[in-house]
Amino acid sequence: MRWQDESAPDGWTVCALGELTTVVGGGTPKTSVPGNFSEDGGHPWITPADLTGYTDRYIARGRRALTDQGLDSSSAKYLPAGAVLFSSRAPIGYRAIAANPLTTNQGFRSFVPGPRLDGNYLYHALKFLQPVAEQAASGTTFPELSGRNAAKIRIAFPSLPEQKALALVLDRASDLGDRATSALEGALSSVARLRSAVLVAGCAGQLTADWRPRQVMPSDQQQTETEKAHQPDGRGSLPPGWSWAAIGDVADVEVGGTPSRKNSAYWGGGIPWTSSGEVANCRISETRETISDEGLANSNAKRYPVGTVLIAMIGEGKTRGQSAILDITATTNQNVAGIIPKPSVLMSEYVWRWALGQYEITRAVGRGGNQAALNRKKVKELLIPVPPLAEQQEIVDRVDRLFAIANTLEKRIDAAARRADDVFDAVLAKAFKGELDVGLDEAD
């Protein structure tokens, strides 16, 4: 029950929002006209993007403001302090209370409460009414809540003192929920830092310090291979039997290619083809696209074996420097480097854990030039600490055991976050069903 059927708690009244508030839209001046916007000063102007991730109830300014020219040339209107902003499209349901007089773009249906409705009560009621607002929206690509339909939404409300008391209780419940969410987000960040620390410690020999004294030194064959390794300045010492090596000295490094999109015969042939966007710190067992034998033969794409470690070489976002390991035979595009370790020196699974822990360093190597990017030469020059093969396996096993613990922690934190959301939703539902016992002294 969300009051659209006239039912309400005893002693409450049900009215359309248009009877209790003034519904106000917004506007945007032409972005192509110089002088309509101000980065600092000017008339406060809010867009739904300003409320993305916004947790405060009150808002004073957005990222941009309007100049006098921008305000006069648009349909943006000033709202008084205390008006409740409600985003009306893409998405519907962001809320905030105006901390001072301000304007909005057309992505809002804002409500200026009349004397019968408390603004803070309305702020919380609109969260309860969000499903109704979404149903009242129209449109295909981006459903939008019109001013007319916003005014028709019905709201139940008690006396003004009881509204204020309920709003105070919901303020406190919301604040507690926000603090719990913040603490849980901090816990998730700590788990992410734990993962990074585990990877760094593993590839520095710290995770296996207690294991190493019981083991023999590397075989003559591996020692011969790693004697070619670099001992770079500033890298610090490594455990006995370890050495630094350039990836190109201990692995084959190749770059893929893309068959012409103009020839349909090159695509859909069943050979997995990996784009750089799919190289996302993960294991790859399937790909979004496939190519044909003909496409493979007529491009620079190469067939990589299971266990190849992939590194994305292009991208200013998260992509550049991310890695993956192939659980299938696959090809890649030209923006991905494939690392095929020499089995007498390196384990693929160890190389991938190293690449995960190397993410920020690998990204930094790709900076510079017109477009931040790695290339085959830069990937071959990346330095990797090379332990004996037996220790590589032990590092992989210990990293995976610690990651399993991290996975369990993340699942518990996610479950706790969902419970925190459920608790507030339950309090909200009780409040607007009249089941919350609040004393009117709460409003004092």
Side-chain angles (χ1 to χ4, degrees):
M1 186 280 295
R2 293 189 191 270
W3 311 322
Q4 306 312 297
D5 58 0
E6 296 295 335
S7 59
D10 291 342
W12 290 34
T13 304
V14 178
C15 287
L17 279 172
E19 300 175 54
L20 302 167
T21 70
T22 302
V23 183
V24 182
T28 302
K30 289 183 178 180
T31 57
S32 59
V33 176
N36 279 340
F37 295 93
S38 170
E39 297 300 328
D40 109 56
H43 303 280
W45 184 69
I46 313 297
T47 72
D50 292 317
L51 298 186
T52 302
Y54 195 78
T55 56
D56 290 346
R57 276 188 289 281
Y58 292 87
I59 190 166
R61 302 190 68 84
R63 297 182 185 117
R64 290 194 294 175
L66 301 182
T67 60
D68 289 341
Q69 170 186 301
L71 181 63
D72 292 341
S73 65
S74 74
S75 56
K77 305 174 184 67
Y78 255 103
L79 297 164
V84 182
L85 282 58
F86 188 77
S87 65
S88 55
R89 64 178 180 184
I92 294 171
Y94 285 171
R95 300 161 299 129
I97 300 174
N100 45 253
L102 50 74
T103 66
T104 74
N105 77 353
Q106 64 275 19
F108 288 96
R109 297 292 173 254
S110 300
F111 302 94
V112 181
R116 300 168 65 192
L117 199 61
D118 177 69
N120 212 18
Y121 175 85
L122 175 59
Y123 170 85
H124 291 294
L126 286 172
K127 179 173 176 60
F128 183 67
L129 288 166
Q130 182 175 342
V132 175
E134 290 172 342
Q135 290 175 3
S138 60
T140 52
T141 306
F142 293 108
E144 180 172 7
L145 178 67
S146 68
R148 181 189 297 270
N149 286 340
K152 291 178 181 178
I153 294 173
R154 303 184 71 76
I155 182 173
F157 57 98
S159 66
L160 199 57
E162 190 173 352
Q163 289 178 46
K164 292 181 178 180
L166 279 170
L168 279 175
V169 171
L170 290 172
D171 284 351
R172 293 167 187 168
S174 178
D175 289 343
L176 285 172
D178 288 344
R179 287 201 292 272
T181 299
S182 179
L184 291 168
E185 288 173 351
L188 281 175
S189 296
S190 296
V191 174
R193 289 194 296 272
L194 171 65
R195 288 179 182 276
S196 296
V198 165
L199 291 168
V200 171
C203 293
Q206 295 168 359
L207 289 186
T208 45
D210 64 326
W211 173 92
R212 194 175 307 113
R214 304 192 299 270
Q215 309 305 312
V216 298
M217 291 294 289
S219 68
D220 290 342
Q221 180 184 11
Q222 187 178 0
Q223 191 67 47
T224 300
E225 292 280 0
T226 56
E227 279 173 359
K228 302 174 185 176
H230 307 294
Q231 294 290 350
D233 294 338
R235 283 283 171 162
S237 60
L238 291 173
W242 289 47
S243 59
W244 290 102
I247 280 289
D249 290 339
V250 289
D252 294 326
V253 179
E254 301 292 347
V255 174
T258 302
S260 173
R261 295 281 185 181
K262 296 178 181 179
N263 191 332
S264 60
Y266 292 169
W267 293 89
I271 300 173
W273 182 83
T274 311
S275 69
S276 54
E278 294 174 273
V279 180
N281 295 340
C282 60
R283 305 190 75 94
I284 293 178
S285 56
E286 60 180 355
T287 59
R288 289 192 290 266
E289 295 183 278
T290 63
I291 62 175
S292 64
D293 287 329
E294 188 178 356
L296 179 63
N298 288 278
S299 71
N300 290 325
K302 299 170 183 65
R303 203 188 296 261
Y304 293 125
V306 171
T308 299
V309 176
L310 308 180
I311 292 182
M313 298 190 295
I314 301 290
E316 268 302 297
K318 291 182 179 179
T319 302
R320 189 180 80 253
Q322 288 194 325
S323 59
I325 188 168
L326 290 178
D327 288 335
I328 55 173
T329 300
T331 60
T332 73
N333 71 9
Q334 65 276 10
N335 297 327
V336 177
I339 300 173
I340 307 168
K342 295 179 181 178
S344 62
V345 184
L346 282 176
M347 291 177 53
S348 293
E349 296 288 348
Y350 170 79
V351 175
W352 184 44
R353 273 57 170 196
W354 163 80
L356 290 171
Q358 184 86 357
Y359 172 65
E360 292 296 342
I361 295 173
T362 303
R363 280 183 63 79
V365 169
R367 293 194 181 102
N370 294 328
Q371 181 181 19
L374 293 161
N375 55 40
R376 182 169 178 260
K377 179 176 181 293
K378 289 179 178 179
V379 172
K380 290 178 71 174
E381 291 172 349
L382 293 173
L383 293 167
I384 182 171
V386 182
L389 285 170
E391 190 162 359
Q392 291 179 39
Q393 182 64 64
E394 187 66 19
I395 290 168
V396 169
D397 291 345
R398 294 192 179 200
V399 166
D400 287 356
R401 285 198 294 271
L402 290 170
F403 270 33
I405 295 171
N407 290 341
T408 299
L409 288 173
E410 285 176 336
K411 289 177 182 177
R412 290 178 178 176
I413 292 168
D414 286 340
R418 288 193 296 273
R419 286 196 297 272
D421 289 340
D422 291 344
V423 167
F424 180 72
D425 287 344
V427 172
L428 195 70
K430 281 184 171 291
F432 295 118
K433 290 177 182 177
E435 298 173 0
L436 217 58
D437 185 16
V438 294
L440 294 185
D441 57 336
E442 293 280 350
D444 296 336

